[in-house]
Amino acid sequence: MTPTSRRASFALLLALALAAPAYPWGVEGHRALATVAGENLTADARSHVVKILGNDDLASIAVWMDELRTAAFHTGPLGSDPEALKFNAQFPENGQWHYVDIPLGSAAYEPDGAFSSPHDVVHMIGEAVSVLEGGGDRRITKREALLMLVHFVGDEHQPLHIGNGFYGIGADGSVKLVTDPAAAKGLPNDRGGNALYFGPGRLDELHAYWDSALVEKIARTDQVAELARVLQAKVAAQGASWKSAGDYHRWAEGWATESLAAARTAYAGIAFGAETPDPKGGIKSIRITFPAGYDETCIPIAETRLAQAGYHLAELLNAIHWSD
């Protein structure tokens, strides 16, 4: 490859990295739920967090895993960070750790199911817990495991990081949403709503709408502290009913199933227009129209999932048998 072609290839890859929505739940959502988690730690869990981070500011590390994407191109907040660059070199597939694509008609997340993988978000939460307990992949430090855990528990509570649309495509470009998992196997999908566009803008798509637009509508602000206040009030009122049961090493499986149920509502009533195929295969985009009252239905779901993410993150950090 010539120097010119290398530069062109780099520019293309960087453009693709920057084109996709960078922060599931948005920076605001991730930092707010991490703030809530920090407010609900036990003294023991807090002491371990402080030992690893030097402080108990979980919000400050909440989007590190997302910032790795541009760090791969030596740009963004971590562009010259040695730890981030080493992590990307060791785990170039880490972008796949943030989600799992499950058909909407699936009964539950299954760790060994047809649509799960050893590197999906649920498994990587388990990996992070293992490292913090003294096991797991030895290349991952305890600090990195904590960064992963704080971020991925948030990610898996975002419904579109779990539920995914699969489609039958007609010869005329018409689309039919396929929810049955047996029928969905092998069909093109919308990458968690990233290919579903309701407007002409780059971020006028369903996934970004859930990441940021709905989040800002919860407290009518983009301020982390105000959103965290709203979420903490919800935790105080309802948190006791969200207590996870059984072995904490498997809690993430149940949380994924809860997100799958929420994803069905996220897709409910959406009208699908014509599909634009990707020349390289799959779906480039599908035009969609929201049903009447979409925000009124989905804002409360986004608020609940964010509050539950903060609660469950604290719950998991409090349950871990930390390795010194």
Side-chain angles (χ1 to χ4, degrees):
M1 181 180 290
T2 67
T4 299
S5 61
R6 280 199 298 269
R7 286 194 296 270
S9 178
F10 174 86
L12 175 60
L13 290 171
L14 178 57
L16 291 173
L18 296 174
Y23 301 105
W25 277 138
V27 174
E28 179 189 7
H30 269 294
R31 289 181 175 162
L33 73 87
T35 299
V36 170
E39 293 175 357
N40 291 277
L41 294 179
T42 62
D44 180 65
R46 191 178 307 279
S47 70
H48 285 285
V49 169
V50 171
K51 184 176 181 179
I52 292 172
L53 296 181
N55 58 62
D56 62 357
D57 187 2
L58 297 179
S60 68
I61 62 166
V63 295
W64 193 86
M65 289 303 303
D66 277 332
E67 291 172 343
L68 286 175
R69 172 159 33 192
T70 53
F73 303 97
H74 300 277
T75 64
L78 301 178
S80 59
D81 182 83
E83 181 183 19
L85 298 177
K86 180 180 178 182
F87 194 92
N88 275 333
Q90 290 179 316
F91 305 103
E93 77 288 356
N94 69 74
Q96 301 171 23
W97 298 356
H98 297 248
Y99 60 89
V100 57
D101 293 331
I102 303 177
L104 298 170
S106 303
Y109 171 85
E110 298 175 357
D112 299 315
F115 295 89
S116 59
S117 84
H119 300 293
D120 66 32
V121 65
V122 176
H123 283 87
M124 295 316 295
I125 288 172
E127 182 65 39
V129 170
S130 293
V131 172
L132 291 172
E133 294 187 324
D137 192 323
R138 297 297 183 180
R139 294 173 296 171
I140 300 173
T141 68
K142 288 185 179 180
R143 170 184 152 80
E144 290 161 353
L146 184 56
L147 303 180
M148 290 166 58
L149 196 61
V150 170
H151 187 80
F152 291 154
V153 171
D155 273 357
E156 81 150 329
H157 282 75
Q158 209 275 44
L160 301 186
H161 273 249
I162 305 297
N164 191 40
F166 292 78
Y167 301 90
I169 309 296
D172 59 352
S174 61
V175 301
K176 177 183 178 182
L177 178 65
V178 177
T179 60
D180 177 71
K185 190 68 175 176
L187 291 180
N189 67 80
D190 61 27
R191 304 184 304 279
N194 277 296
L196 302 183
Y197 282 81
F198 57 86
R202 180 173 63 84
L203 297 182
D204 290 341
E205 44 94 339
L206 185 64
H207 194 108
Y209 196 71
W210 274 81
D211 283 350
S212 299
L214 287 180
V215 173
E216 290 185 8
K217 292 178 180 182
I218 292 171
R220 297 182 177 86
T221 179
D222 61 359
Q223 298 301 305
V224 171
E226 182 60 21
L227 177 59
R229 184 191 64 78
V230 171
L231 299 180
Q232 178 58 30
K234 197 169 189 70
V235 168
Q238 300 180 26
S241 67
W242 300 338
K243 185 176 176 60
S244 302
D247 181 359
Y248 66 88
H249 295 95
R250 304 196 66 173
W251 284 351
E253 297 172 24
W255 303 338
T257 297
E258 292 170 358
S259 279
L260 176 61
R264 296 187 193 107
T265 302
Y267 279 81
I270 288 177
F272 299 94
E275 175 253 2
T276 300
D278 187 330
K280 298 180 180 180
I283 295 170
K284 181 178 181 181
S285 66
I286 298 173
R287 301 296 296 182
I288 64 170
T289 303
F290 288 129
Y294 188 83
D295 280 4
E296 288 77 4
T297 298
C298 292
I299 290 172
I301 293 175
E303 179 181 344
T304 296
R305 292 308 286 156
L306 278 165
Q308 289 174 328
Y311 176 87
H312 287 146
L313 176 56
E315 184 182 38
L316 185 55
L317 292 171
N318 292 339
I320 287 173
H321 294 160
W322 299 79
S323 171
D324 294 323

